[in-house]
């Protein structure tokens, strides 16, 4: 039969257990607003009953309960929900970065607006249209130069802003990679602490919360796979409490032709004799590299390229830099190069008021080929708008035609004549002042009252004129060139103005307006899609976080109820001690009287 001290010991255990439970509730209440904290619960269980079955056990009813103890302090956490949240966080991070980058690109283009490229391009074509009406007007010529300079400056400014945005994205990628390494180091340190405490048979709940919070932050930057590290202990698999962190889809691209090899997965946080980290870094080509480290943190081998989908904010930034912004830069360069190409081609065909031609309208300010980064108006034209080639060369063919159109390939420094033989016309040129002549292109048949062209159609070295009603006699007919700009010929200016509606091969068959509108439309659609996806992912993550909060979050109402429950249990246990004390007092102090 157990003594009163046996009952007293049961009450003591009750006091201890209820106090531990009250401490746990107090810890929950204190951390109700701590980020990443998971509520904890004192799991109570009965202690070993008495007596233990044996040959010499006392006679009597058994077993008798010996009280209560706290078996463990349990962390309320749903690991499946954690994996779901990390998977959705990486998608959220990806779309947020794409959305942010596209919104900045939209600000760069500022369309539609009165200061956007679309408006400036329209003003540019309109100025050439006006010049075709008043080719001899210097104010109109100056307007053409000013609007062209505004357009060129806007193209350069837009290119510079996109280049700056790309540089900013590079810096963000550097920061994200450094953040990944910092988080990985912190996780590795926590791994070590958690391993030590777990090995001692305790539950490092607060450390596990801190590690899960870091894993959530890491999972938003890059898609990761988290797996527990187990060891074999006496033939049994034992959880060490540590985790190994790998890139979810990233792998080492040792050979560009190799297929995906699971053995080449990129490990960020590994586990061995000591926890250590394999760092990511940005390579010289802007790609992500993986550097293996030993336990002392020294480099092992050379950095290796990381291929595959990285996921998260890092992949979003890489996509924004290499695909989105670079794509808009390429489109802008193609637009500027195409604009300069076709305008220059047409402009070189014309003449200025100084009777000279063959001048480019747009040039590369920094040399090389013209693109959006260096396009500018020919300084020679800007200094003297009279050199704008608003008119075209005309040609007169002696006794053959009164007026002929001159092809773009005709060199005005050469001498030309048309040979007539048996009703066949053929263009000849001379580069030595008429001593020797050579044919240009094939023969063309004379057709009364019809427009004919002689020369080489492929090179554009041609003359086109209206045949008379009577066939000319065989012989050669000299060609004389003249310029009628000063007398109001704005034919070339009109031809340049009409380029706005031509489909340009360099722009994939689009007109300038359509090409630019398509660019802006694609930007708008991509930006809207990125914003919509980011918003949808944010809603999904919020829902998952609410579910997580309903499981792991601290409810102050629930904790207050638990506190009252533990308080009354504590008071009852204390009352048991009082009763036993009175019983002992009766036995010890009063039974002898």
């Amino acid at each position: 039969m157990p003594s009163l001290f046996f009952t007293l010991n049961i009450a003591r255990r009750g006091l201890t257990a209820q106090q531990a439970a009250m401490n746990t509730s107090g810890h929950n209440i204190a951390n109700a607003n701590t980020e990443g904290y998971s509520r904890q619960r004192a799991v109570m269980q009965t202690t070993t009953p008495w007596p233990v079955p044996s040959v010499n056990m006392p006679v009597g009813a058994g077993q008798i309960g010996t009280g209560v103890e706290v078996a463990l302090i349990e962390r309320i956490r749903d690991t499946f929900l954690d994996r779901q949240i990390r998977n959705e966080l990486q998608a959220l991070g990806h779309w947020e970065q794409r959305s942010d980058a596209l919104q900045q690109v939209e600000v760069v283009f500022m369309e539609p607006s009165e200061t956007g490229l679309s408006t400036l391009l329209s003003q540019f074509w309109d100025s050439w249209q006006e010049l075709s009406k008043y080719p001899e007007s210097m104010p109109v010529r100056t307007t053409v130069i000013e609007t062209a300079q505004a357009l060129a400056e806007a193209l350069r400014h837009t290119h510079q802003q996109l280049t700056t945005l790309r540089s900013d994205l590079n810096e963000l990628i550097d920061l994200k990679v450094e953040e990944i390494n910092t988080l990985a180091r912190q996780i590795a340190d926590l791994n070590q602490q958690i391993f030590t405490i777990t090995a001692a048979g305790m539950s490092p709940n607060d450390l596990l919360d801190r590690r899960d919070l870091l894993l959530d932050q890491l999972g938003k930057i890059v898609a990761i796979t988290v797996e527990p590290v187990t060891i074999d202990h006496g033939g049994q698999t034992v959880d060490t409490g540590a985790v190994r962190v790998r890139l979810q889809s990233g792998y080492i691209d040792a050979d560009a032709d190799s297929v995906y090899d699971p053995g080449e997965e990129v490990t960020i946080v590994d586990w061995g004799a000591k926890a250590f980290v394999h760092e990511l870094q940005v390579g010289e080509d802007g790609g992500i590299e993986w550097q293996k480290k030993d336990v002392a943190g020294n480099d092992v081998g050379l950095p290796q390229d990381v291929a595959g989908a990285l996921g998260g904010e890092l992949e979003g930034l890489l996509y924004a830099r290499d695909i989105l912004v670079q794509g808009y830069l390429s489109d802008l360069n193609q637009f500027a190069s195409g604009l300069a190409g076709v305008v220059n081609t047409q402009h070189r065909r014309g003449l200025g008021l100084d009777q000279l031609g063959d001048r480019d309208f747009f040039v590369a300010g920094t040399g090389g080929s013209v693109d959006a980064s260096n396009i500018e108006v020919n300084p020679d034209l800007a200094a003297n708008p009279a050199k704008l080639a608003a008119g075209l060369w005309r040609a007169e063919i002696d006794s053959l035609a009164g007026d002929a159109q001159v092809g773009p390939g005709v060199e005005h420094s050469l001498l030309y004549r048309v040979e007539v033989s048996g009703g066949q016309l053929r263009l000849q040129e001379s580069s030595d002042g008429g001593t020797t002549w050579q044919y240009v292109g094939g023969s063309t048949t004379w057709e009364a009252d019809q427009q004919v062209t002689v020369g080489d159609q492929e090179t554009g070295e041609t003359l086109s004129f209206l045949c008379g009603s009577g066939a000319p006699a065989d012989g050669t007919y000299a060609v004389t060139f003249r310029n009628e700009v000063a007398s109001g010929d704005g034919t070339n200016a009109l031809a340049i103005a009409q380029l706005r509606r031509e489909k340009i091969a360099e722009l994939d068959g689009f007109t300038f307006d359509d090409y630019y509108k398509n660019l802006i439309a694609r930007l708008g659609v991509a930006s809207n899609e990125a914003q919509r996806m980011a918003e949808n992912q944010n809603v999904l993550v919020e829902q998952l976080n609410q579910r997580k909060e309903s499981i792991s979050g601290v409810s102050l109402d629930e904790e207050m109820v638990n506190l009252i429950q533990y308080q009354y249990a504590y008071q009852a246990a204390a009352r048991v001690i009082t009763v036993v004390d009175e019983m002992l007092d009766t036995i010890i102090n009063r039974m002898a009287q």
Side-chain angles (χ1 to χ4, degrees), residues 363-371 374:
V363 296
T366 56
S369 58
V370 178
D371 59 25
N374 58 18

Side-chain angles (χ1 to χ4, degrees), residues 225-245:
T225 298
V226 181
E227 60 182 43
V229 176
T230 58
I231 58 174
D232 182 75
H233 182 69
Q236 294 184 342
T237 302
V238 178
D239 186 0
T240 64
V243 294
R244 183 176 288 111
V245 182

Side-chain angles (χ1 to χ4, degrees), residues 179-197:
E179 192 175 349
I180 289 173
N181 293 332
T182 301
L183 290 170
R185 282 192 286 272
Q186 293 177 25
I187 292 170
D189 290 341
L190 286 171
N191 259 348
Q192 188 66 43
Q193 297 177 50
I194 290 170
F195 172 78
T196 303
I197 296 173

Side-chain angles (χ1 to χ4, degrees), residues 131-149:
L131 182 61
S132 70
K133 301 174 185 175
Y134 310 102
E136 70 281 7
S137 171
M138 287 304 294
V140 175
R141 286 174 173 270
T142 302
T143 301
V144 172
I145 294 295
E146 292 296 329
T147 55
Q149 287 179 328

Side-chain angles (χ1 to χ4, degrees), residues 97-106 324 328 523 526-527 530:
Q97 293 301 329
R98 284 178 63 166
S99 177
D100 289 346
L102 286 168
Q103 287 182 38
Q104 293 182 66
V105 174
E106 284 186 311
L324 295 178
Y328 293 119
L523 171 60
S527 180

Side-chain angles (χ1 to χ4, degrees), residues 2-211:
S3 67
L4 285 175
F5 289 103
F6 181 84
T7 307
L8 192 63
N9 197 44
I10 292 176
R12 180 191 62 77
R13 286 175 174 167
L15 286 176
T16 303
Q18 303 309 322
Q19 185 176 356
M22 292 176 69
N23 289 339
T24 303
S25 288
H27 187 56
N28 286 340
I29 294 171
N31 287 282
N33 296 319
T34 301
E35 184 183 9
Y37 179 79
S38 302
R39 70 186 176 91
Q40 300 173 12
R41 183 170 67 95
V43 179
M44 298 184 191
Q45 67 178 15
T46 57
T47 52
T48 304
W50 183 88
V52 178
S54 67
V55 176
N56 298 321
M57 68 180 184
V59 178
Q63 295 176 304
I64 300 174
T66 59
V68 66
E69 66 179 358
V70 175
L72 76 155
I73 305 298
E74 181 183 34
R75 188 175 72 124
I76 310 300
R77 193 89 178 188
D78 187 336
T79 54
F80 176 73
L81 196 55
D82 284 340
R83 286 197 294 272
Q84 279 189 305
I85 290 175
R86 284 169 197 150
N87 286 336
E88 300 306 331
L89 273 175
Q90 63 92 10
L92 174 62
H94 175 90
W95 285 109
E96 281 183 341
Q97 293 301 329
R98 284 178 63 166
S99 177
D100 289 346
L102 286 168
Q103 287 182 38
Q104 293 182 66
V105 174
E106 284 186 311
V107 172
V108 169
F109 280 99
M110 287 293 288
E111 296 290 357
S113 72
E114 294 183 355
T115 57
L117 277 172
S118 180
T119 301
L120 294 174
L121 183 63
S122 180
Q123 292 174 353
F124 173 72
W125 298 125
D126 291 343
S127 68
W128 280 105
Q129 184 76 36
E130 191 68 11
L131 182 61
S132 70
K133 301 174 185 175
Y134 310 102
E136 70 281 7
S137 171
M138 287 304 294
V140 175
R141 286 174 173 270
T142 302
T143 301
V144 172
I145 294 295
E146 292 296 329
T147 55
Q149 287 179 328
L151 176 61
E153 184 176 355
L155 285 169
R156 294 197 305 272
H157 183 63
T158 303
H159 187 280
Q160 178 59 44
Q161 286 184 305
L162 289 176
T163 303
T164 301
L165 175 57
R166 199 164 184 272
S167 299
D168 293 343
L169 290 172
N170 268 331
E171 292 182 10
L172 278 176
I173 290 170
D174 287 340
L175 291 174
K176 289 299 176 186
V177 168
E178 182 57 36
E179 192 175 349
I180 289 173
N181 293 332
T182 301
L183 290 170
R185 282 192 286 272
Q186 293 177 25
I187 292 170
D189 290 341
L190 286 171
N191 259 348
Q192 188 66 43
Q193 297 177 50
I194 290 170
F195 172 78
T196 303
I197 296 173
T198 302
M202 292 184 284
S203 301
N205 293 327
D206 293 341
L207 294 180
L208 291 172
D209 281 343
R210 286 169 56 189
R211 190 179 66 186

Side-chain angles (χ1 to χ4, degrees), residues 317-335:
L317 288 170
L318 290 170
Y319 186 86
R321 182 195 66 181
D322 298 336
I323 304 298
L324 295 178
V325 177
Q326 183 58 46
Y328 293 119
L329 271 172
S330 299
D331 289 344
L332 194 66
N333 283 332
Q334 186 177 359
F335 178 83

Side-chain angles (χ1 to χ4, degrees), residues 86-87 89-91 180 218-226 245-250 266 268 309-315:
R86 284 169 197 150
N87 286 336
L89 273 175
Q90 63 92 10
I180 289 173
L218 182 61
K220 188 176 183 181
I221 301 174
V222 66
I224 57 173
T225 298
V226 181
V245 182
R246 292 193 175 101
L247 295 187
Q248 196 171 79
S249 302
V266 175
I268 303 176
L310 296 173
E313 294 177 334
L314 184 58
E315 185 180 74

